[in-house]
Amino acid sequence: MTAKLLSVNVGMPKDVSWQGRTVHTGVWKHPVTGPRLVRRLNVDGDGQGDLQGHGGEQRAVLVYQIESYAHWQEHFGRSDFEYGQFGENFTVDGLPDDEVCVGDRYRIGEAEFEVTQPRVTCYRVGMRLGEPELPALLVSHHRPGFYLRVITEGVVRAGDAIVKTRTGPGALSVADIDALLYLPGRDPDKLRRALAIPALSPGWQQSFRDMATAAGPAGAAEAGPRAEAWPGFRPLRVTGLVHETPSVLSVELEAADGGALPAAEAGQYLTLRVGGAGDPPPVRSYSLSSAPGASAYRVSVKREEHGLVSRYLHAGLRVGAVLEVAAPRGDFVLVPGDGPVVLVSAGVGATPVMAMLHRLAAERTARPVWWIHAARNRSEHLFAQEAHALLRDLPEAHEHIFYTAKNGATGDGSSDSGDGVRAEVHRGRPGLESMAGLGLPAEASAYLCGPAPFMDAMRATLTTIGLADDRIHTELFGALAAINPGLTARPAVAPHQPPGEPGTGPLITFARSGLSVRWSPRHRSVLDLADACDVQTRWSCRTGVCHTCTTPLLAGDVAYAPDPLEPPPAGEVLICCATPRHDLVLDL
Ligand SMILES: Cc1cc2nc3c(=O)[nH]c(=O)nc-3n(C[C@H](O)[C@H](O)[C@H](O)COP(=O)(O)OP(=O)(O)OC[C@H]3O[C@@H](n4cnc5c(N)ncnc54)[C@H](O)[C@@H]3O)c2cc1C
Ligand code: FES
């Protein structure tokens, strides 16, 4: 049977209210009559609200077949669907997802098209249908639909025949490729075949390349989840307190039972539940500043003017006190290699890179190391002697200190030689001009930690100097940047208790946001609760498919509804479809 174009559907993006927020979306498409010109980027009169996820050359035209309409009408017991209901531009008779292959070409009317990728799972199609679980169902029922690239622009109209002009190499159907990305039990052979299809869109190619690296013997150890040293929180005793600078206190911690502590990776952080600082006990994270193999852990805490926990630790903590501590975790760790390493920090952001420097010094690394630190002035210069002593023992080390406060530098441009290492002292911030003069090698890997604006500026500076963006690693002392596709921007709001009656269920602690909230079953998921609290969140499908919402779970246990199509790694949780079984502590 010849496939046929049943309807051409278009729609421009508009603002739609959704769960108290506004979504800018082009998912509402409506049929047009008569001929329509299809251009390289769009069908005339059509548009997308969020070009990160939809549209562009590789995703110019979305296709969905009428056979799937019938399937979903039966599944949901509905009969109210109209053409364009699934956000598609072309509603077609024929071209099933399990027969159409990526790379196939089709002529429709005057235009010619090439299949580039399956539909990206996203909550907006569920929103359009009023069926929030639809994104997961599109994948699990193997009916995602697919995108076309426009090879030849031209006019199409409803009723046009669809003629295949070329079969894609690799013989991998849209349903196969979709399952390869989203479903467990991947076939490595199919992964290799997918990567060999030139027509597959660059975004999907990259995802498959990442998967292939993670699955390979070299990538397995690096990319796999890091084993937790202990589950939940355990008591650690304070064995030492050191005032490093007027505003930073180092806290040494050993196992309360005297046992050995597992080694952390250089750059990881601990999460502390601080009983004395409030009720419920507030939870905060602190990077380890100690040598990874040391017998005690050390964290170094800056006293924040109005900070609940940092002020308590500075004023109230005594040697002998016991703190509840979650195991070291975090992905901001030194990547093995033998190229140059650039460690850049500002203020208390020196903590994780200090641990990295300890690690490099303990290995007596032959790698050239740059230590670049910005402090307000000499008295606020954290780990000044400790870092200098470690650098002194390395064969190729460069130390650059920037004193940023007016009158902050004493001895601008001076070098503390005499012990082999020149510590160059600069006045002002480490801007492009001064950084460009340091002779950083373009092949270096860089590790940055400091306030968000400092890291943004430093990343831009380093890439301008010539360092590769994917070798620049960052650690942020706060909530990670949100991923909320399609939501219109609004002023930042500090995390708060949710509106309405307080819940009475398990206690949910969002550690990065410094907030603890009682669960109430009126929230569909932990993600819904986080949204209601204006906790910064990251998500896309909101139904357990895309793993964008994966969040480290420091303590507690969750139930899933719906079940994720592929479970998250151990110690992590997909918050979009999780509800708490017990109290939870989340790295969010
Ligand atoms: C992975 C990670 C690693 C970290 N590592 C470190 C580290 O090594 N060292 C370190 O010091 N910190 C680190 N932090 C930050 C740390 O977790 C805490 O966020 C920090 O100590 C502040 O906590 P707090 O309870 O003192 O402040 P909070 O009470 O949580 O307040 C947060 C901020 O709001 C301000 N604030 C609060 N109330 C008011 C008010 N009424 N008016 C004006 N401002 C107000 C405070 O001054 C503070 O800056 C890290 C965070 C993460 C996520
Ligand atoms: S947002 Fe996609 S899995 Fe949670």
Side-chain angles (χ1 to χ4, degrees), residues 230 232-234 269-274 283-286 299 324-329 511-512 554 585-587:
W230 64 82
F233 287 78
R234 72 181 269 191
Y269 60 89
L270 298 178
T271 303
L272 276 49
R273 184 155 58 193
V274 186
V283 175
R284 300 288 186 275
S285 297
Y286 294 98
V299 294
E324 295 287 309
V325 181
R329 66 188 72 223
R512 282 178 186 260
L554 278 63
V585 181
L586 294 154
D587 187 30

Side-chain angles (χ1 to χ4, degrees), residues 462-474:
L462 292 176
T463 48
T464 307
I465 290 174
L467 273 74
D469 192 57
D470 62 357
R471 281 206 298 272
I472 300 177
H473 310 270
T474 56

Side-chain angles (χ1 to χ4, degrees), residues 48-56 59:
Q48 298 82 20
D50 163 26
L51 289 170
Q52 294 284 332
H54 308 277
R59 298 171 301 202

Side-chain angles (χ1 to χ4, degrees), residues 36-42 107-113 150-156:
R36 268 293 147 145
L37 181 60
V38 185
R39 300 175 195 271
R40 199 173 58 83
L41 290 183
N42 268 320
R107 176 164 293 285
I108 309 176
E110 293 174 352
E112 192 180 9
F113 304 92
V150 181
I151 305 283
T152 311
E153 297 186 345
V155 167
V156 301

Side-chain angles (χ1 to χ4, degrees), residues 284-287 300-302 304 306-310 351 477:
R284 300 288 186 275
S285 297
Y286 294 98
S287 294
S300 306
V301 179
K302 180 179 175 214
E304 298 289 349
H306 301 279
L308 178 65
V309 171
S310 62
T351 49
F477 285 179

